[in-house]
Every structure is written in C-alpha cells, then in structure tokens.
Amino acid sequence: MTTSVADISWPSPITVAAGRDCLARYQEWSAEAFVTADIESLLTDRAAFIDELLRRLWQQLELPQHGIALIAVGGYGRGTLHPHSDIDLLFLFDGKLIPSTEERIRQYIQLLWDLRLDVGHSVRTISDCAREAKADASVATSLLEQRFIVGDADQEQLLRQFLHTEFPWSSDQFYQAKLAEQNERHQHFHGTGYNLEPNIKSSPGGLRDIQTIGWIAKRHFHTQSDESLVQYNFISAAELLELREHQEFLWRIRFALHLEADKKEDRLLFDYQPAVAARLGYRESGKAAVEAMMKDFFNAMVGVSELNDMLLQFFAQTILSDAKELKRYPINDQFKVLGESIAAQHDDVFREPRALLDFFLAIAEHPEIRYVRAHTIRLLRNARRELTHPLSDIPECRELFMQLLRHPRGCGLAFKLMHKHKIMAHYLPQWAQIVGQMQFDLFHAYTVDEHTYRLVRNLYRYNSPEAEEEFPLCAKIIANMAKPELLYLAGIFHDIAKGRGGDHSELGEHDARNFGLQHGLDDDDTDLVAWLVRQHLFMSVTAQKRDIHDPEVIEEFATKMGSQQRLDYLYCLTVADIRATNSSLWNNWKATLLENLYLATQRYLEQQQPSPQREMRQRIHQHQQHAMALLLSAGFEVQEIQELWSRFTADYFLRHQPEQIAWHSQYIINVTDDDLLPLILVGDENRQGTTELFIYHLEHEHLFAEVAAVLDHQNLSIHDAQILATRDGFVMDTFVVLQEDGEPLTDARRIEALKQELHDVLRGRSPAPNTQRRLPRRLRSFQVQTKVEFVPAKNARRTAFELTALDRPGLVAQVAKVLQALDLNILTAKITTVGEQAEDLFIVATESNTALDEQQRTELREQIIATLDHN
C-alpha cells in the first residue's frame, strides 16, 4: 500500500490548484483502497500524507528551523486521520516571533484553508500552553497527544519535558474532569448508544469512550502505549485485543461515513446507512445489510461501554484509592456490598449459571447498590461467554427470574444491568433476536431492545414519588395493582417479535403464551399478558384516530376491554410505550386524549346497562350547566346565553368542555356586526397543554383550506380539527395545534402574528400562503406509499377516508387544497403522525351536504395521490 501512496506525491511548489488536485487523487485512492486495506494503515498513511504536506509548505514559505516548531495535537497528534477529520496544529515558539515569521504563519494557515483542509491552530509559548492547559482540561488533553512535525525539535522536547514534570492537572483532578466530561456527553445521547442514528464518535460506547481510557492512562502512567494497561494489570491481553477490534470496526464505519458524506460527519444518519454498509462489504439485500451492520455496531458499542466502565473503575481504585475506606459487608457466600457497589466474593462465583440470576436478585434486594464492581463485570463477561443454552431452559433460573419480576425493585437497577450486560439476551432467546434490531422509521428513536428496556423502566418509575405528580393516574393504578409483574411481562414481550416478519403483535402474543406455560403462570395471568401484547397498540390508535367524544366509540372500546383490570393494565402499558418511543413524542395532548379515553371507558364499565344515547344527553346537559354557571359568574344574563345557545347544535356541546363553551360564548355574544368577523380566539381553555384556535365566521366554503395554509406558514401542526355549523349560517371551527417542537404556542408576538395573518386571509385582503415546501433531510430517505381508503361514516350524509402518506411539510394544507378544488367541505380532521408517516382521518361532504358518490370518491383518491406524489 505504501508504494501506491508514493505514486501520489505533493507538487513542487504547492499551489492551491495543484494541492487540491493532489488531495482529490489521494481521496480517490483511499476510497478504493478502503475495500481491502487495513484500517489502521489507512489512517496512519493519511496522517503521514498530511505530515509531508506540512513539511513541504514549511520549507516553501521559508519558516525558520530554530525557535519555533510545528506540533500536531489532539486527534491528529495520535498519528491517525480520517478523510475529513480536524487537523489541529500548535505553533510552539520560544517567545521571540518577528513580524515576518508571524506573516508567514498567517500565509501558511491560509494556504491550508485554501486547500479546503479543516485546520485548527494556536500559536503559543510553553508558558502559554501551561496557562491554557491549567484553565481548560480539553487543552491539557490535546497536549497529551502532541507529535512533532517540523521545525525546531528542541522546542518539542521542552514541551514533552514540561508535560512529564509540570503537567497542571494531577492524576485525580484529570480523572475527575474526564469522567465528568464523559458523563455529560453520555447524557446528551440519553445515556445510551442504542440510538437509531448514533454518533460514531461521541455516543456511549463510541470512539470517544476509547480515547477517554487512553487519555487517563497517558496522564497517570506517562506513556503513549496502550500496552501499559496490560503491563500494570488494568486489562488483560485478551481484553486489550477486544478493545482494539472494536476500535478498528468503529474506525472503518467512521472512515466509510466520511467518504460517503464527503465531509466531516460522525452521525450515522439514515441517509448514509445503506451506502456505508455497502462500503463495509455487507452484501445482504435491502435493509438486511443495514440491519447486519448496525447489529455489529451495537455489539461493539456494548463491548466498548463495558471495558470503559471497568477501566475507569480500576483507574478510580488506583488514582483515587476509593476502595480503602469503603464500607463492606457480605450479602451471602457469593456476593458482598462494597460502598455503593456489588462485588463477587471469589472468582468462581458464576460457576453455576443460576448464580447470574442470584446476582441480579441480590442487587434488587439491596437498594444501596448503585453499580457493579469492575472485577465483577469481568467475571460476568467471562461467565456470559461460557453459556451454551438460554438461561430460561434451567428451572432454577426461571424461578429466580419470576422472583426478580415480583420484587418491588426487580425492574429497577437490576433489570437495567441485565439489559446493559446482555444477560436478558442470554435469558430469553427472543430478546437476543431484538438486540440491536433497527427500526427504519422516524417514530422510534431507539433499537427494539433499548425501546423495550425503556418501556419497562417507565413502568417501574410509576412507583416513584415523582410519578404521583407527573403521572398521577398511572401511579394510582400501579399502587393498587395486584400483580404488576404481569405488566412488566407485557412490556418485555410487546415488541419482542419485531424483525421476524408478520404481525409482531400476533407473534409476540404466541411468545408470551409459551413463556407463561414455561414459567408456570396460571391460565388467567397468561391470558392477560398475551392479550396485552396482542392489543398493545389499540388504546393509542383509538385515542388518536377515533372520535372519543362519540359514546358509540367508547362503547366499542369498552367492549374490547371487557373488564376494568384490562383497561388499567393497557392504559399503563400504553403511556409507558409512547414515552419510551421517542423523547419528543409524548406531550400533554396525547396524555389528555388517553386519560379522557380511560375515564370515559371506566364510566361505561361501571354502569350496569349503559346507553350511548343517554350518556350523550347527560354529557350535553352537564356541559351546559357548568358553562352556564361560569358565564353567570362573569356577569352575563341567562336570557342572552340561552338565545345564543339556541343557535348551536347538540354536537357542539358534546364535543367541547364547559370551559371552552363559556370561553367561546362570552366573545360570540359581543359580535354584534359582521364587520367584527372573523372572531379568532387562541388559548388553552381545555387545559390540555395544547393551543386551541377557535374561529367564528360566516359560512365560508374553503375556510379549512385557508386556515390550514396559514397554520403551515406559521410552522404550526394541526392535531385535531372540528368544523361545526350553527343553525343560522355561521361556522365554529376548532383547531388543536402545536409548534414544531411539540409545545403549545404561548409567545404573545407569535399569537398576534397568527391572528393577523388569519384575518388578512379570511377577509380576502391577502391570498392563502403557498403550501409547497422543500422536503426535510430526514424524510428524504423514506418512501411511504400514498393511500386513500374510504371507511364507514356514522352519518349517512358524510364520507370518511383515511389518508396514509409521507408526513411532508404542508401535507394537511395540500389535502385541503385538493378538497377545495373539488368543491368538498371538511367537517372533521384527526391528524396522526407516526414518525415519517402521516395517518390522517378526514370526514367530508359535498357542497349540497351529501356523501360522495362512487365517481366523486374515485376522483378524490386520484387527485390526492397525484398531488402528494407529484410534490
């Protein structure tokens, strides 16, 4: 390979054009060589190639050979370089820089920038370095990896001597600083590397975790060699080899990613994953290649995380001497408590497989335990490798696993560590299949196993005092639940069949039944877990896609539940599932929908012979009574309220809460002239953590389309819309909207801007804004077939259809525009986004207030598909 690189030599002199050409040829060569070359050789050769450029330019610009040295620092100082990595340089001088040298340094850097190299530089004396390093641990870290390039070698030797004898951070200070830095970095990624678009460098288990080990070792042992970790018994030769294998795999992914992105990019985005997998030689077809690559990535990530955890603990024990004063006492013959950790009593502690379950049960039984001692992690890793059959095949292990699930703290730290150290994968064969399992959508943020772990963690946290404030209904249900372990089991199995093909809910139900049989659950318990797995999506779909104000919808849902027990379990599972899917997915709107569905269903189940019609009449009467009391307390007269309400339909009172009715009414009463229209209200009178936009206006054929266009222009997403008409020619439209970040609209200036634009458009002073916008980057990697499916409508004079499409900007506004062109009116819209996919329900009617005939349905379907697919 060196011979091949030698064929690409830097020109003399190095001009911008000739230098760029040389870099382009080298980049082309390295992309070809990547297929078969050793990755470390590629990285070191690239660093050497840039070294030669720097030396040539030093001579070309006649920079002095005495009194100043050019030193590589940071990642470049390690002597490895990825295609678009930073090139960090230190110009180290002796305190005497003449103006001509300063000018040449400026020319030197400018020429490197002109060559389009990502160069960072500093010009310092040794005393400058000492001062900056003392103030900033990151500067001190970059100096630890210094490497001489060209100039005065004596200057570099002085720096090396300073770092050895006068490094401004003691070993313990430096360790604490790097540990804090790593913890902060991990929190940025929600404490997991199991993200679907991971950062190869910075995610937990990424390259930065390996570098952190090296930095601390270099500071403490004053060495540049990883072998010192073996020499000082911090790591075994086999563990060092494993660490290097993981590092080389991560290097290859990062190198391929830089080539594919053609820029510095460490995020393995969906856009790049197929091409990166191809460059790495994964030959499976379609998504299978990405799945195989990502499983290997996540396996490397777990290995790096475990070794990082072990080594940082060993460093702490040596550097901080943290084991000397720790309280210790035995748990049993196998394990002991050491400070806040659990440790093995002897090296043969995991000789019997059941001891692995004993270990996690001991963690659950001792709440003072916060982590596993480093040497015990090593024993755990070794024992894991010796397993030849699933732990669930062993009767004693099955008994201990159920004890763990039934323990009040069993699904806390113990379950977290079982997931982290891959013991769950060795207990359940089905869990092993979902470890690192990708989910190719924007709905989920994590792999299947990480999502499932987070769901179980959410269920466990309902027992905490914080849950009583944040999730009071879940906390109340869990506190009274006779067998919470069944809920945990439903969480474990709800997605366990993903990636196998077929309906994962049906396959998961089958797995749950087999588990119940294998673990001796009685028939009722097994039936409940299996039912929850099969129906785990039913409540969220009903809440978001169905009209939960409709008593018949509640009757249908309650019939499916069959009992309060099933409702309780499914509600808790649903909330935990949504919250574990994506950190931005849960909001007060979804919380309110689910809680309202739960409470309405609970009321239905409590009645002996419930009647939907009677329930509807009672609700309308209650809403009117409560709203009337609110209006009377505000100074309004009974007569004027009754006169106003006589114009409203029963549907209005059914679908709005008393606070909303009172809010709307007090403003509509004051609209005495059509010149005051449209009446536009913006607020949150329903206390749902959303923004309600209410519009009262003269009947206006295309009002929905115009409002949707304005909301899209204001970067607001519609989540629900109700279009209701009064008995005398007015419309009362209610839109539930949120900002792009899922938060309600509260900024007074933005609210005023929204109102003003709506006024201008609805009064015809300005046209509706254009709804066609560029597709965001994250959506470009996804293909969603546009589908329009007509579904039964409750009212024979209405037509309902479900739209499935890519959730592009302005989607609802574009659909409204199609309906406008076809002279159709939208009466109801329920907008549901599942990652990159929109699953929306619309109820429409013709201008003559009738349902669509077959020809109109065909035309509507064709027009929507043509419009959305064209855009």
Side-chain angles (χ1 to χ4, degrees), residues 260-275:
E260 192 58 37
D262 196 24
K263 63 180 180 179
K264 179 186 177 183
E265 178 61 84
D266 292 322
R267 299 166 301 162
L268 191 52
L269 304 175
F270 286 129
D271 315 38
Y272 303 127
Q273 288 173 6

Side-chain angles (χ1 to χ4, degrees), residues 277-297:
R279 284 185 184 271
L280 266 63
Y282 290 90
R283 299 304 178 205
E284 293 86 347
S285 60
K287 294 177 180 177
V290 173
E291 288 182 341
M293 175 185 72
M294 296 306 292
K295 278 183 177 288
D296 288 344
F297 167 78

Side-chain angles (χ1 to χ4, degrees), residues 380-549:
L380 187 64
R381 283 162 49 85
N382 294 339
R384 189 177 67 199
R385 291 191 180 97
E386 296 297 320
L387 294 174
T388 57
H389 299 285
L391 290 167
S392 56
D393 286 352
I394 303 170
E396 295 91 343
C397 290
R398 295 199 292 269
E399 183 179 340
L400 289 167
F401 185 75
M402 291 308 301
Q403 284 184 40
L404 185 67
L405 287 184
R406 291 174 177 132
H407 193 284
R409 289 184 297 275
C411 285
L413 178 63
F415 189 80
K416 175 183 178 179
L417 294 174
M418 286 186 74
H419 166 56
K420 177 179 178 179
H421 294 294
K422 298 203 279 192
I423 300 302
M424 275 301 298
H426 285 278
Y427 185 80
L428 277 178
Q430 299 93 333
W431 187 285
Q433 291 182 263
I434 62 170
V435 172
Q437 176 66 45
M438 289 291 289
Q439 306 193 71
F440 295 97
D441 58 51
L442 296 180
F443 183 60
H444 296 87
Y446 310 105
T447 58
V448 179
D449 59 321
E450 179 68 14
H451 160 70
T452 304
Y453 154 67
R454 287 171 177 265
L455 185 157
V456 174
R457 183 186 66 177
N458 288 340
L459 294 174
Y460 174 73
R461 287 181 174 174
Y462 292 147
N463 294 294
S464 68
E466 296 80 17
E468 294 181 10
E469 284 191 26
E470 192 175 1
F471 301 98
L473 182 54
C474 289
K476 180 182 177 183
I477 292 171
I478 288 282
N480 296 310
M481 193 171 281
K483 295 182 177 180
E485 70 271 15
L486 303 182
L487 186 58
Y488 295 135
L489 282 173
I492 288 170
F493 280 95
H494 86 291
D495 274 355
I496 208 161
K498 279 192 171 179
R500 294 190 222 161
D503 187 326
H504 75 278
S505 298
E506 291 182 15
L507 296 172
E509 177 190 20
H510 180 72
D511 288 343
R513 289 194 179 278
N514 286 341
F515 178 93
L517 185 64
Q518 183 186 36
H519 287 72
L521 271 64
D522 65 38
D523 290 346
D524 288 343
D525 290 349
T526 299
D527 286 344
L528 177 59
V529 175
W531 181 88
L532 288 167
V533 173
R534 179 67 178 268
Q535 305 297 338
H536 73 270
L537 297 173
F538 185 58
M539 191 169 198
S540 62
V541 169
T542 301
Q544 295 180 72
K545 293 188 177 183
R546 301 293 302 276
D547 181 6
I548 61 173
H549 298 291

Side-chain angles (χ1 to χ4, degrees), residues 546-612:
R546 301 293 302 276
D547 181 6
I548 61 173
H549 298 291
D550 185 343
E552 291 185 6
V553 170
I554 300 302
E555 180 182 32
E556 179 186 332
F557 182 78
T559 301
K560 188 86 168 183
M561 294 300 100
S563 69
Q564 182 66 42
Q565 181 195 43
R566 284 185 171 183
L567 176 63
D568 287 344
Y569 276 81
L570 186 60
Y571 174 74
C572 291
L573 181 65
T574 302
V575 174
D577 190 14
I578 296 175
R579 290 177 58 232
T581 300
N582 189 315
S583 61
S584 62
L585 194 61
W586 181 256
N587 55 41
N588 285 337
W589 169 242
K590 287 188 175 68
T592 303
L593 285 177
L594 288 170
E595 186 168 339
N596 287 345
L597 176 58
Y598 173 89
L599 294 174
T601 307
Q602 184 181 53
R603 287 194 298 270
Y604 181 94
L605 292 170
E606 286 173 349
Q607 298 177 45
Q608 295 298 318
Q609 292 182 323
S611 164

Side-chain angles (χ1 to χ4, degrees), residues 310-378:
M310 282 172 50
L311 285 163
L312 291 186
Q313 278 198 55
F314 284 139
F315 286 143
Q317 292 164 27
T318 301
I319 297 170
L320 306 180
S321 302
D322 75 340
K324 293 180 179 177
E325 304 299 329
L326 293 178
K327 64 178 182 181
R328 59 187 71 204
Y329 58 87
I331 295 174
N332 49 39
D333 292 340
Q334 298 171 300
F335 311 109
K336 62 186 174 185
V337 170
L338 191 58
E340 294 185 332
S341 68
I342 184 171
Q345 293 274 34
H346 53 82
D347 285 359
D348 291 330
V349 69
F350 295 123
R351 180 183 296 273
E352 296 296 327
R354 66 158 287 161
L356 290 165
L357 276 297
D358 283 326
F359 176 66
F360 293 104
L361 192 57
I363 292 172
E365 290 173 344
H366 292 79
E368 66 272 30
I369 294 172
R370 295 286 180 269
Y371 64 95
V372 181
R373 204 70 179 170
H375 183 65
T376 308
I377 294 177
R378 175 174 287 155

